[in-house]
């Protein structure tokens, strides 16, 4: 039983590690692109704003498939639904301006952060999850700041672009730590 559980954890850790490296790369590239257009809602900014939650949908689906052996993926499917709604909400909010976008983005950051935090806590035994737990908590706080920032005199999307950078860094740290967890689980299965 322990050998099977260790193999499941090692396989999940390996899959999540690859996914987290991709999420890191995407977050950094997206943030750099978003910084170039953060002061207005042109077509490029709108496309980027809709793309980010859609990427989160794809990542959550991959995560759910990869982690079936280590627990229930229900919260990941909740994240899929929330991120799909967010992509649509952001697309609609773009017609109303940056404050509306920041409110939708903030609500999404709060809910997605809570999901990430809870999933990280449930995966603690896998290893490499403390960065995800911290990232989830930071996301909740950032979401609140987006909502508050929407009421500023001249709001911009710079904070949304900046939000992706620490998230990407947390994914990178977790990917590195998951590599250790995957190797440790493999060595305990194959002495």
């Amino acid at each position: 039983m322990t050998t099977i559980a260790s193999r499941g954890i090692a396989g999940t850790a390996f899959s999540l590690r690859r996914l987290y490296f991709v999420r890191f790369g995407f977050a950094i590239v997206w943030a750099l692109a978003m910084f170039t257009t953060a002061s207005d809602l042109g077509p490029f900014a709108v496309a980027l704003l809709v793309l980010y939650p859609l990427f989160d949908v794809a990542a959550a689906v991959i995560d759910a498939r990869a982690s079936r052996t280590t627990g229930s993926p229900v919260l990941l499917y909740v994240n899929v639904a929330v991120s799909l709604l967010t992509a649509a909400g952001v697309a609609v909010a773009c017609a109303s301006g940056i404050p509306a976008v920041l409110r939708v983005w903030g609500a999404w950051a709060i809910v997605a952060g809570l999901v990430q935090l809870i999933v990280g806590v449930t995966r603690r035994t896998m290893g490499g999850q403390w960065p995800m737990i911290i990232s989830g908590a930071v996301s909740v706080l950032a979401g609140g700041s987006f909502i508050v920032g929407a009421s500023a005199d001249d709001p911009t999307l710079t904070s949304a672009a900046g939000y992706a950078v620490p998230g990407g860094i947390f994914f990178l740290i977790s990917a590195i730590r998951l590599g250790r967890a995957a190797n440790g689980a493999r060595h305990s299965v194959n002495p």
Side-chain angles (χ1 to χ4, degrees):
M1 181 78 157
T2 303
T3 302
I4 294 170
S6 294
R7 284 185 188 147
I9 289 172
T12 300
F14 181 75
S15 296
L16 290 179
R17 182 174 192 247
R18 285 185 301 169
L19 175 62
Y20 289 178
F21 277 128
V22 170
R23 291 194 75 163
F24 162 72
F26 176 82
I28 299 304
V29 170
W30 183 90
L32 291 172
M34 194 67 208
F35 276 126
T36 67
T37 186
S39 60
D40 70 306
L41 274 175
F44 185 60
V46 171
L48 287 172
L49 288 166
V50 172
L51 176 64
Y52 198 93
L54 290 177
F55 182 83
D56 196 54
V57 167
V61 168
I62 292 167
D63 190 332
R65 288 183 180 160
S67 59
R68 278 182 282 180
T69 60
T70 59
S72 173
V74 171
L75 283 173
L76 294 168
Y77 290 122
V78 167
N79 194 46
V80 167
V82 169
S83 293
L84 281 171
L85 288 171
T86 299
V90 165
V92 170
C94 284
S96 297
I98 291 175
V101 170
L102 288 172
R103 287 183 187 99
V104 172
W105 199 266
W108 175 53
I110 291 168
V111 175
L114 286 171
V115 168
Q116 185 178 19
L117 190 150
I118 294 167
V119 169
V121 167
T122 62
R123 290 180 174 170
R124 276 188 339 268
T125 57
M126 182 187 314
Q129 294 304 301
W130 279 108
M132 295 295 89
I133 293 167
I134 295 166
S135 180
V138 168
S139 184
V140 170
L141 296 173
S145 75
F146 297 146
I147 293 169
V148 170
S151 300
D153 290 336
D154 189 22
T156 69
L157 297 168
T158 305
S159 59
Y163 166 73
V165 174
I169 292 169
F170 281 122
F171 277 114
L172 175 63
I173 294 167
S174 190
I176 292 166
R177 292 180 57 91
L178 278 171
R180 294 178 190 153
N183 288 335
R186 265 194 220 121
H187 291 303
S188 69
V189 172
N190 301 317

